Amino acid sequence: MKTRCTIFLFLFFLTVEACFSQSKYGNVTMDELSMTVYPQDTTAAAVVLLNVGETRFSYSEQVGFQFEYTLQVKIKILKNEGLELCNRSISFYQETSTTGEKISGLSGTTYNLEDGKIIKTKLSKDVIFEENTDKKWKLKKFTMPAAKVGSVVEFKYTLTSKYFFDLRDFVFQTWVPVAYTSYEITLPEYFYYNVNMQGYERIDAKRKSVNETFQISYKDDSGRLQIDNVRCSAEEITFVGENLPAIKNEPYLWALNDYITKVSFELQSIRYPWTTIKNITTTWADIDKELFSSSEFGGNTKKTGLFKDEITKSNLTLQEAKIIQDLVKSKVKWNDKIAFSPNNLKDALKDGLGNSADMNFLLINALKTGGFDAFPVVLSTRENGRLPLSHPSLNALNYTITGLKIDTLMYYTDASAKFGDWNILPQRCMVTQARIMNENKVDWVDLSTFSSGASLISVQMKLDNTGLVMIVSDFRRGNSAYDFKVNFSNYKDKDEYIEKLASKLNGKIEDFKITGESKAGGDVKSEYTLIKDATLGDEFIYITPMVDLLFLDNPFKKEERKFPVNLDYLENYKQLVNITIPEGYVVEELPTSQKYVFGEDDDAITFMYRIVQNESTIALQYQFHTKQLMIGQDLYPALRDLFAKIVLKNSEQIVLKKNIAIK
């Protein structure tokens, strides 16, 4: 009987998998509608049954060559969370109100099974609308109607674009599993592209030669208009993937998009037979030139008159630069929007509100008014993903901060970061590759380790009739102070913070004092008395010496990990605890001292737990020190084991026993 059951389940899963791989657009099946779980991933909130894309080139007399990108998607909704996939956005570029990319053929259907019948609900124009993301980029947004758990939804559209130097990437993977995906692109011989694959999942690729015909009107090198039916060779590339697992974010991962399975294309050259070869490959020098000549970017670095009545040239010191930054922050607040180029600096100054680029370009202009050598620094934020290694891309840049050179020293700041300062950057800007846009010298800079954090928590602990009393001094510097300030500002007032802190530390807090919590830059110091329940006189007293637990639990719970680990920033965390042994007690049990050193060079992470008893006192020295941000996935098992040991060590207790020999 057990054998027959096993065979039945095997055949069932085999049938379901075959059904998914053969799923067709516009033809929902009863098996797809009645499915309640995806066998390959029983936890999945949805499964993409079909994800099919195609890119072909066409010719228009009005605009010339263009490409048509068509996408068909079919999804089975299994849980409420999967309904998120029914809300879609398509990004497209509009150079002017009449020119640019266009989206056509947008249609879709939601299928539901009701009383044994398939009910179809069409995507209507009422739920399709457009939204501006900046001056030239737009989103076409829509929501699939009548979608619910159990539904199958499908949609398709075609994007037509003359910007064939910027073909759309095709993404094979998403946060739910994909049963079947394919992408076909036909590249005429006139356009030579580098094809770049990214990701960890297997995608099969096949290439073959085909023929294409275009009716083309053109001017030859003599300027004469020619119209021909042109036949050319082309390369057809087909990519196919099946049963791709979901890709999900993991702790300490800067950008999931850096590891998602996708294909992208870089135009190298155009080779029309009626004219000379045109090399298209863009260099960073080309991008520099374009940015410096742009009125939106380069032009906005030269408006030094904005602060002429408030700033005069004086000593070119870092302290003076900080005063100027504080002035800009007092005049303009960040509107929580990030941008690469500013909108209107005068309007931002007038309204007192601006995006991240507005604030940084205002700071650059203010510093220049003061005589400083200030300039933009462009980057792709951590969340946006690393800059492409294979080819320079202006579109990959999404953020601008402020750079400053004083003598031979370099400083960086993000003016939109309320608590930021020179060389105290928010984590979004701490990337490995940023570009200094100083017209005197353009260069690359690694910002990932430019700012670091340090914490020192000092505790004097004793036991009296009120309980376990701890006098705590908490000192934070650099990014540790920055993170503390951001967290502190999220509370409505100091009393709410004290209440939450007391709950976290499982005690009562008295005499709380804090300094530096609301200043941009600088250190933060807090002092308070923490009282925990403990009874003097019990035969045994149990003390957890760690006041603040750096890690409550292991952030690396999975046994395996495909992606590298990216720590937030370099950090040196120390906790020094001095415990007075109450009179009449002796140490029954003491945690052992331990030191762990981790990394290929044995110094990426250092952890030390050193505890010493001296007659009437116990001294604990605890340190967690990181010297490396990037840890490869091959070291993940050892890293996971290290954090498990640290978490275990954090919870170890000191046991004191009443000394019965003393009467």
Side-chain angles (χ1 to χ4, degrees), residues 137 165-167 169 196 262 264-267 280-288 290-291 340 378-380 384-399 433 435 444:
W137 281 95
F165 52 82
D166 190 21
L167 295 183
D169 296 350
N196 306 305
K262 68 177 182 179
S264 59
F265 304 86
E266 175 199 4
L267 181 61
I280 302 298
T281 303
T282 301
T283 65
W284 281 110
D286 296 329
I287 292 175
D288 299 339
E290 182 178 348
L291 288 174
F340 179 70
V378 298
L379 53 93
S380 171
N384 193 54
R386 59 176 175 250
L387 293 176
L389 300 177
S390 58
H391 61 282
S393 172
L394 179 58
N395 290 337
L397 299 167
N398 74 324
Y399 208 82
Q433 201 173 19
R435 194 156 179 84
W444 291 104

Side-chain angles (χ1 to χ4, degrees), residues 8 10 25 78 80 90 122 124 156 217 219 230 241 278 327 346 358 361 411 425 435 521 549 560 576 592 611:
F8 172 78
F10 172 75
Y25 188 89
L78 298 170
N80 283 325
I90 309 167
K122 297 290 185 181
S124 66
K156 64 180 179 180
S217 59
K219 288 184 178 181
V230 177
K278 182 179 181 182
L327 171 67
K346 288 184 178 179
D358 292 332
F361 276 81
Y411 303 92
L425 295 169
R435 194 156 179 84
L549 298 181
E560 297 181 352
L576 305 177
T592 58
I611 192 163

Side-chain angles (χ1 to χ4, degrees), residues 17 45 134 178 202-203 231 283 300 339 387 406 410 421 449-450 462 531 539 568 643:
E17 289 181 22
D134 63 21
V178 177
R202 176 177 174 176
I203 301 294
R231 184 179 175 88
T283 65
N300 273 314
L387 293 176
I406 301 178
M410 302 290 289
D421 199 1
T449 58
F450 232 89
K462 67 178 181 177
I531 303 173
E539 183 179 357
D568 295 336
F643 274 78

Side-chain angles (χ1 to χ4, degrees), residues 213-218 226-231 274:
T213 301
F214 303 98
Q215 186 179 70
I216 296 176
S217 59
Y218 61 92
Q226 305 286 343
I227 299 177
D228 282 329
N229 282 325
V230 177
R231 184 179 175 88
W274 52 87

Side-chain angles (χ1 to χ4, degrees), residues 8 15-16 25 27 68 108 172 241 248 294 311 314 323 378 404 436 490-491 499 512 520-521 523 596 621 636 655 659:
F8 172 78
T15 302
V16 173
Y25 188 89
N27 181 27
E68 296 175 355
F172 299 98
K248 296 181 180 180
S294 164
I311 298 174
S314 58
I323 292 172
V378 298
L404 175 68
I436 298 170
N490 290 326
Y491 295 96
E499 179 184 344
F512 183 87
D523 307 328
Y596 302 115
Q621 182 179 357
Y636 175 75
V655 181
N659 190 352

Side-chain angles (χ1 to χ4, degrees), residues 480-580:
S480 298
Y482 177 89
D483 284 354
F484 182 95
K485 294 172 188 180
V486 172
N487 178 58
F488 190 87
S489 68
N490 290 326
Y491 295 96
K492 65 180 180 181
D493 54 29
K494 184 170 71 173
D495 291 339
E496 184 185 22
Y497 172 78
I498 295 172
E499 179 184 344
K500 296 295 183 183
L501 180 63
S503 177
K504 174 188 173 185
L505 301 181
N506 193 28
K508 178 183 176 183
I509 289 180
E510 296 179 349
D511 304 325
F512 183 87
K513 299 175 183 176
I514 189 168
T515 57
E517 76 282 5
S518 60
K519 290 175 56 180
D523 307 328
V524 177
K525 184 176 182 180
S526 60
E527 296 175 309
Y528 54 90
T529 300
L530 175 66
I531 303 173
K532 291 189 176 185
D533 290 336
T535 303
L536 189 61
D538 288 349
E539 183 179 357
F540 292 98
I541 298 175
Y542 300 89
I543 299 174
T544 303
M546 295 289 296
V547 174
D548 176 59
L549 298 181
L550 183 60
F551 300 104
L552 295 174
D553 54 19
N554 192 342
F556 306 110
K557 294 181 173 61
K558 292 185 177 180
E559 291 188 11
E560 297 181 352
R561 179 171 170 133
K562 290 184 178 180
F563 315 127
V565 173
N566 311 133
L567 300 180
D568 295 336
Y569 51 82
L570 300 183
E571 181 179 18
N572 191 6
Y573 176 95
K574 292 182 180 179
Q575 194 168 158
L576 305 177
V577 182
N578 190 279
I579 305 168
T580 300

Side-chain angles (χ1 to χ4, degrees), residues 274-375:
W274 52 87
T275 188
T276 55
I277 294 176
K278 182 179 181 182
N279 291 316
I280 302 298
T281 303
T282 301
T283 65
W284 281 110
D286 296 329
I287 292 175
D288 299 339
K289 185 177 179 181
E290 182 178 348
L291 288 174
F292 284 133
S293 62
S294 164
S295 60
E296 293 179 351
F297 191 92
N300 273 314
T301 64
K302 301 171 183 176
K303 297 179 179 179
T304 54
L306 295 171
F307 295 91
K308 63 181 180 180
D309 297 329
E310 298 160 285
I311 298 174
T312 56
K313 293 184 178 181
S314 58
N315 296 328
L316 301 182
T317 64
L318 190 61
Q319 182 59 34
E320 185 64 27
K322 178 173 173 52
I323 292 172
I324 292 175
Q325 182 173 202
D326 290 343
L327 171 67
V328 172
K329 287 184 177 182
S330 71
K331 288 182 169 294
V332 183
K333 305 300 179 186
W334 185 37
N335 63 9
D336 294 329
K337 295 181 180 180
I338 70 170
F340 179 70
S341 298
N343 289 322
N344 188 301
L345 296 184
K346 288 184 178 179
D347 287 347
L349 203 54
K350 178 183 176 182
D351 299 337
L353 197 66
N355 62 38
S356 62
D358 292 332
M359 296 197 66
N360 279 288
F361 276 81
L362 283 170
L363 177 57
I364 291 167
N365 282 285
L367 289 166
K368 285 187 172 183
T369 301
F372 284 94
D373 182 10
F375 40 84

